[in-house]
Amino acid sequence: MDVTTPAGAPWLIVGLGNPGPEYAANRHNVGFMVADLLAERIGGRFKRAGKAQAQVVEGRIGPPGPAGRRVVLAKPMSFMNLSGGPVNALKDFYKVPVANIVAVHDELDIDYGVLRLKLGGGDNGHNGLKSMTKAFGAEYHRVRFGIGRPPGRMQVADFVLKDFSSSERKELDYFVDRAADAVEALVTEGLERAQSTYNS
């Protein structure tokens, strides 16, 4: 079921990741990758967001003109496990209803490249989601980007903080592009239609 939100309220699309060049290509930073592509699509560049510990781009997604949806793309510049603070500050500053927040994040329990869109639910051990839910509740949208489980006995923390493998990188651009499409569909067409297209 789609949630009705106030007409004209902006959407806050949050790519989750860790700041700094050493983390840029990590599996845990796929949310940043999707946010960067969305910023490129709307012709914006990330800039520091006032007092919030985040970088933002403001723009519109969807058809040109007033029919487009107002969006704020955000990348928290705290570390992943502290994402809730910066996102909450942006939510308050831009007056975004919780149901208009979309978290784009890596998901261990889904095969690599597979997408799942949903509203609300648990955090499944994801520290970025845990921090956001603690800050303002769980009823926000998620675009979950599958990264699969660690091989062998590798620890989860080591796996998510490693770069995608060379074989994964061959398809990464395609999957990031598809995740950006899914975010746009969620914002412009609603959850159910976006799910029917992208929940493969």
Side-chain angles (χ1 to χ4, degrees), residues 46-49 52-57 73-77 90:
F46 278 100
K47 61 183 191 300
R48 199 77 187 195
Q53 201 179 356
Q55 292 184 352
V56 298
V57 175
L73 306 176
K75 296 193 296 186
M77 290 288 112
L90 294 172

Side-chain angles (χ1 to χ4, degrees), residues 98-189:
V98 173
N100 273 30
I101 297 174
V102 182
V104 186
H105 64 93
D106 57 304
E107 178 62 65
L108 285 160
D109 285 337
I110 303 174
D111 289 341
Y112 174 60
V114 173
L115 297 176
R116 291 280 186 276
L117 283 66
K118 70 172 191 170
L119 174 66
D123 56 58
N124 206 21
H126 193 288
N127 288 329
L129 298 181
K130 194 176 292 182
S131 179
M132 286 175 61
T133 296
K134 187 177 178 185
F136 48 78
E139 289 307 300
Y140 54 91
H141 289 84
R142 299 102 190 274
V143 174
R144 304 155 75 205
F145 185 111
I147 60 169
R149 301 293 304 183
R153 297 187 176 186
M154 185 187 289
Q155 294 295 309
V156 164
D158 294 333
F159 179 69
V160 298
L161 293 176
K162 279 198 171 11
D163 291 359
F164 286 98
S165 69
S166 55
S167 62
E168 287 170 335
R169 282 198 296 272
K170 289 174 185 169
E171 294 182 293
L172 183 58
D173 286 349
Y174 168 76
F175 288 139
V176 168
D177 195 67
R178 194 163 182 272
D181 289 347
V183 172
E184 291 185 351
L186 171 60
V187 168
T188 58
E189 300 172 21

